[in-house]
Amino acid sequence: FGAYMCYTSTVCAVSVLGADAEIKFSIPVGKLFTHELMRETFQNDFEPLSKLYAGRLYDDPMVFKCNLQNFPDLPEWLRFTQRHPYDNGFLYGTPTAPGKSIIEIHAINKRSYETTRQLLIINAVAEKRLPFQAEFFIKLRDIERVLPSPVQDEIKQDLQRLWKTEALEIVNITNALDRGGRVPLPLAGHFEGVYVKVGSEQYFSDCLLMVLTAEHQKQCKAGAKTRIPGECNFCSIPSNCITWCKIELVSPAPPPPPPTMGPGILEAGGEFNPPESPPSRDYFPDYIVTVIVPLILAIILCALLAYIMFCRREGVEKRSLEKHSVLCHPLCRIQLYHHHTIHGDTEELRSMAGCRGVRPPMSTFPMFDARTGQSAPPLHSDSIPLIMPQQ
């Protein structure tokens, strides 16, 4: 009978924890939001209740994927963490502005590779911000070990005794890795560290104001162990102890003093003296700098360009004289005549391209003597044609 009652209670628990298609939350702006994704809740979607009566109750590893609906990532203020597939996941963060966010949660069963989906609707409501806030660093904690509500209550109770007030709210929890901290060694006793920010309507206690003293700041800069008075040590659990040199207090700036209101009536015998007009200013130096100087530079540049373009060009007569002097040189005349003969020979070869059996071309004759300018005597081998006639 005892075994039957235990089995029945297990079935009822799984049926109650079945994953809902839609979950709604309404949270105030500026307060910490935490939602734990229980693997047992999604297990019922993967294994229906009909299979539980067969005596099979699974505890499958799961991986959660969370994103804003129609977007690949989460909102800026919301974060997700899951250390291991056999651990529960956590959505946590502090909304900064009122609004509605629809979060899609996809659970993947690592044993059967099935997938289920859940919607989480978060409605952030505007609320007054807590005026006095303080941030504490807990060195011996990881983020997923602080997010469960029982651990938050333990930390909150210690801080309430330190603040000496019950009206204390957790504003935000941040992983030290998100604040530039180093990844710890994978050894026992090494933790990432967590920043916890709390707020209250009541002003800071004397123990918190101690961190603002010059002696405390001097000890922290020197790296020496901070001396904490006995009446300020409220650490009930060693892993929840705070680091005193990393406490930051945030208080609202004092409002400016209101203006002194006068009667609005001048004293007897007083006269209104309007303010004098400003002295006249001479704009002529500015005019010279902005107009005259650029104009002078432009005129100089135009004159220089005109001199280069018109006054430095070669005349037609000078160019003709230089050309005539070059042509009158004997060597130049020989070269010109040689060039002319090349053109004539080219035309003769073109005219001979269509007919054969004609007299030898003039290009086969010996040239004139380059030194004397007289033609050389013809060779005696003229009877032998250079191009054999066609048979």
Side-chain angles (χ1 to χ4, degrees):
F1 180 75
Y4 174 76
M5 290 298 296
C6 180
Y7 179 74
T8 306
S9 62
T10 303
V11 173
C12 294
V14 173
S15 62
V16 171
L17 295 176
D20 296 332
E22 187 176 296
I23 301 177
K24 296 182 180 181
F25 284 98
S26 181
I27 57 175
V29 174
K31 300 292 181 63
L32 177 66
F33 165 76
T34 306
H35 178 63
E36 185 174 4
L37 305 180
M38 306 291 293
R39 291 188 303 114
E40 293 82 359
T41 305
F42 294 88
Q43 185 67 51
N44 187 31
D45 288 354
F46 296 128
E47 300 295 333
L49 295 179
S50 59
K51 293 186 178 182
L52 297 177
Y53 290 103
R56 291 180 295 179
L57 184 61
Y58 292 100
D59 185 19
D60 300 330
M62 298 182 192
V63 176
F64 298 99
K65 304 293 183 181
C66 304
N67 64 281
L68 186 64
Q69 192 176 34
N70 300 327
F71 289 91
D73 299 324
L74 288 171
E76 295 182 356
W77 62 270
L78 191 61
R79 300 194 177 188
F80 172 76
T81 181
Q82 184 186 15
R83 184 73 61 174
H84 193 269
Y86 283 98
D87 296 337
N88 296 331
F90 287 93
L91 282 168
Y92 67 98
T94 303
T96 57
K100 182 179 180 181
S101 301
I102 301 177
I103 308 300
E104 294 181 347
I105 303 173
H106 298 271
I108 304 172
N109 192 327
K110 300 295 289 185
R111 178 184 61 86
S112 60
Y113 293 98
E114 296 181 76
T115 304
T116 184
R117 176 174 173 270
Q118 186 183 83
L119 289 181
L120 182 67
I121 301 176
I122 304 174
N123 186 21
V125 183
E127 188 172 311
K128 182 181 178 182
R129 179 179 178 271
L130 296 175
F132 303 101
Q133 298 182 5
E135 188 175 59
F136 304 91
F137 179 68
I138 302 177
K139 184 179 180 180
L140 303 178
R141 281 290 189 180
D142 292 331
I143 186 65
E144 66 273 2
R145 306 304 177 195
V146 177
L147 293 176
S149 55
V151 181
Q152 292 187 34
D153 294 337
E154 295 173 358
I155 298 174
K156 185 177 178 180
Q157 291 174 5
D158 293 343
L159 297 180
Q160 284 176 346
R161 291 193 293 268
L162 178 62
W163 203 306
K164 294 183 180 180
T165 179
E166 296 291 333
L168 198 68
E169 296 291 340
I170 296 180
V171 175
N172 193 12
I173 295 179
T174 309
N175 190 356
L177 299 182
D178 299 334
R179 303 280 292 271
R182 290 187 174 183
V183 179
L185 297 174
L187 301 175
H190 291 76
F191 303 91
E192 298 173 356
V194 176
Y195 287 92
V196 179
K197 180 181 284 188
V198 296
S200 177
E201 296 283 350
Q202 184 174 338
Y203 192 66
F204 306 112
S205 62
D206 296 337
C207 294
L208 291 176
L209 293 176
M210 183 190 67
V211 301
L212 301 178
T213 60
E215 181 181 359
H216 176 81
Q217 296 178 0
K218 183 178 179 180
Q219 291 179 0
C220 293
K221 289 182 179 179
K225 187 176 181 180
T226 307
R227 299 176 183 178
I228 305 172
E231 64 272 10
C232 295
N233 191 1
F234 298 102
C235 182
S236 58
I237 301 176
S239 58
N240 292 341
C241 294
I242 62 176
T243 302
W244 281 84
C245 286
K246 291 189 176 182
I247 297 178
E248 293 186 6
L249 305 182
V250 181
S251 59
T260 304
M261 302 300 294
I265 302 175
L266 293 175
E267 298 179 358
E271 295 181 359
F272 175 70
N273 295 324
E276 297 180 358
S277 60
S280 59
R281 180 181 175 183
D282 187 11
Y283 292 97
F284 185 72
D286 298 339
Y287 174 76
I288 292 177
V289 173
T290 57
V291 178
I292 302 299
V293 172
L295 183 60
I296 293 175
L297 292 177
I299 293 174
I300 294 174
L301 292 177
C302 290
L304 181 61
L305 182 61
Y307 172 75
I308 294 174
M309 293 297 295
F310 297 101
C311 299
R312 298 291 296 175
R313 298 185 64 183
E314 296 181 354
V316 178
E317 298 179 358
K318 181 179 179 182
R319 185 170 54 192
S320 300
L321 291 175
E322 290 182 356
K323 182 177 179 181
H324 179 71
S325 63
V326 171
L327 295 177
C328 292
H329 196 273
L331 183 60
C332 182
R333 290 201 304 272
I334 294 173
Q335 292 177 353
L336 289 176
Y337 182 78
H338 181 61
H339 184 71
H340 178 71
T341 56
I342 291 174
H343 275 279
D345 297 340
T346 303
E347 293 295 333
E348 187 177 3
L349 290 175
R350 287 180 180 176
S351 63
M352 292 173 59
C355 60
R356 302 292 182 177
V358 296
R359 57 186 301 271
M362 295 292 295
S363 59
T364 58
F365 296 158
M367 289 181 58
F368 59 87
D369 191 349
R371 184 172 60 85
T372 61
Q374 297 178 358
S375 300
L379 297 177
H380 297 284
S381 60
D382 291 345
S383 59
I384 302 175
L386 295 179
I387 301 176
M388 299 300 294
Q390 296 180 359
Q391 296 299 333

